[in-house]
Amino acid sequence: MDNKVTVDGLTFVPYLTRDEIATQVKRVAGEIREDLEGKSPLFLCVLNGAFMFAADLIREIGINDSRINFVRYASYEGTSSTGKIKEIMGLTEDIEGLDVVIVEDIVDTGLTASMMVADLKKRNPRSIMFATLLHKPESSKTGFKPDYVAFSIPPKFIIGYGLDLDGKVRNLKDIYVIKED
Ligand code: 5GP
């Protein structure tokens, strides 16, 4: 793990190592596997940020009867929320009667998550569960509570392991937090 990462003039310092991430991904995968026993779930990976978490999580859950699809929303520009949620790429697949597990990178205000769940509920799935790598409970503007959380974190801007700064640094294997002076 690098002792700092600089991108677009901002400095980030180590926050969660790849080993800590792997441990929590395993724990969450175990919880989901147990809850979904005997079911054929549909995992909905929320692009772009959740691609790395979803790849690790879904492999770790290991249900061969599961399916994977992708949705994409956006609410962020730079390091602060624009407060606007726009749907970029919706779901074309019929999810009626399915057990859906949304896989997200981070729940911040909860606006994206609550909008997504409300939107998907209209399509009559049998159940919807929400798994997130990171949750910032103190930033909540909606009271939204994810069903599965790998890490609860304070309201600081983080990058790496799929999470970006203006599209960059998603490749990092560890998670870094913005450095405060
Ligand atoms: P919410 O709608 O919960 O406020 O925001 C959810 C989205 O904001 C996430 O999917 C993610 O794209 C972005 N976001 C929120 N906090 C962070 C953060 O600390 N780092 C990065 N890179 N993105 C964040």
Side-chain angles (χ1 to χ4, degrees), residues 45-144:
C45 170
V46 185
L47 294 172
N48 295 336
F51 79 98
M52 214 176 268
F53 174 50
D56 287 343
L57 182 75
I58 295 165
R59 277 184 294 180
E60 201 64 55
I61 294 169
I63 300 178
N64 294 346
D65 275 344
S66 64
R67 291 190 177 82
I68 306 171
N69 212 330
F70 301 87
V71 284
R72 187 176 178 186
Y73 299 81
S75 68
Y76 257 61
E77 275 164 30
T79 57
S80 65
S81 178
T82 59
K84 286 184 235 129
I85 310 289
K86 9 175 204 186
E87 181 180 354
I88 294 189
M89 185 179 104
L91 185 67
T92 48
E93 185 178 349
D94 185 8
I95 62 164
E96 188 160 346
L98 294 182
D99 295 298
V100 174
V101 182
I102 300 169
V103 182
E104 175 64 294
D105 56 354
I106 187 160
V107 174
D108 185 20
T109 61
L111 287 167
T112 309
S114 47
M115 182 210 65
M116 217 183 306
V117 170
D119 196 52
L120 291 171
K121 270 191 181 153
K122 290 187 211 146
R123 300 163 187 246
N124 300 318
R126 181 156 66 181
S127 65
I128 300 186
M129 299 298 252
F130 197 101
T132 187
L133 173 68
L134 299 145
H135 183 208
K136 295 180 184 170
E138 290 164 51
S139 305
S140 181
K141 287 188 185 159
T142 56
F144 181 84

